[in-house]
């Protein structure tokens, strides 16, 4: 599952970089579906954490779903608690969610 998920992540970011939004959203949705399954199955924690972090980035940047992204960042940190990348992604997502809840815009 992790290898397939990585392929979908790669395709999603490739299409996003080319401005092919429908294909980027479809590939992101596929990657998120695979990551959701991978989050529940055992495996190498660093590989799962990487896939889960990337799924969070897809949710945030392509699907524009910050709460869902935060869920993936949380899962990545659970899979690999020492991951500084997952901690940073989780922290930034928390800050953005709090800003939205208080009605503040980024940079204000």
């Amino acid at each position: 599952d992790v290898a397939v998920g990585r392929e979908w992540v790669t395709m999603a970011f490739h299409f996003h970089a080319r401005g092919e939004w429908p294909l980027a959203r479809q590939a992101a949705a596929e990657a998120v579906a695979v990551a959701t399954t991978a989050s529940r199955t055992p495996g190498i924690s660093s590989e799962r954490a990487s896939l889960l972090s990337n799924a969070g980035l897809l949710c945030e940047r392509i699907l524009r779903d910050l709460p869902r992204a935060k869920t993936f960042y949380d899962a990545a940190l659970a899979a690999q608690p020492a991951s500084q990348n997952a901690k940073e992604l989780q922290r930034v997502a928390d800050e953005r969610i709090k800003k939205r809840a208080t009605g503040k815009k980024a940079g204000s």
Side-chain angles (χ1 to χ4, degrees):
D1 282 348
V2 174
V4 172
R6 281 194 309 255
E7 291 297 322
W8 282 115
V9 166
T10 300
M11 286 189 285
F13 282 123
H14 171 77
F15 290 133
H16 182 262
R18 291 180 55 160
E20 297 181 38
W21 312 119
L23 291 174
R25 283 190 293 275
Q26 181 61 42
E30 295 292 340
V32 166
V34 172
T36 299
T37 301
S39 70
R40 298 184 202 120
T41 58
I44 299 171
S45 60
S46 61
E47 290 181 4
R48 283 185 32 238
S50 176
L51 174 59
L52 295 168
S53 292
N54 282 318
L57 289 170
L58 291 173
C59 287
E60 191 172 346
R61 295 180 183 168
I62 296 175
L63 301 176
R64 302 289 187 208
D65 187 344
L66 184 57
R68 194 170 185 190
K70 168 84 168 63
T71 301
F72 280 110
Y73 300 149
D74 293 344
L77 199 55
Q80 190 174 28
S83 171
Q84 293 302 314
N85 183 49
K87 286 178 186 176
E88 181 64 14
L89 290 169
Q90 183 187 51
R91 184 190 65 75
V92 170
D94 278 335
E95 288 177 3
R96 288 183 181 159
I97 289 170
K98 286 177 187 173
K99 283 181 183 177
R100 287 182 185 178
T102 60
K104 294 180 183 177
K105 293 185 179 180
S108 58

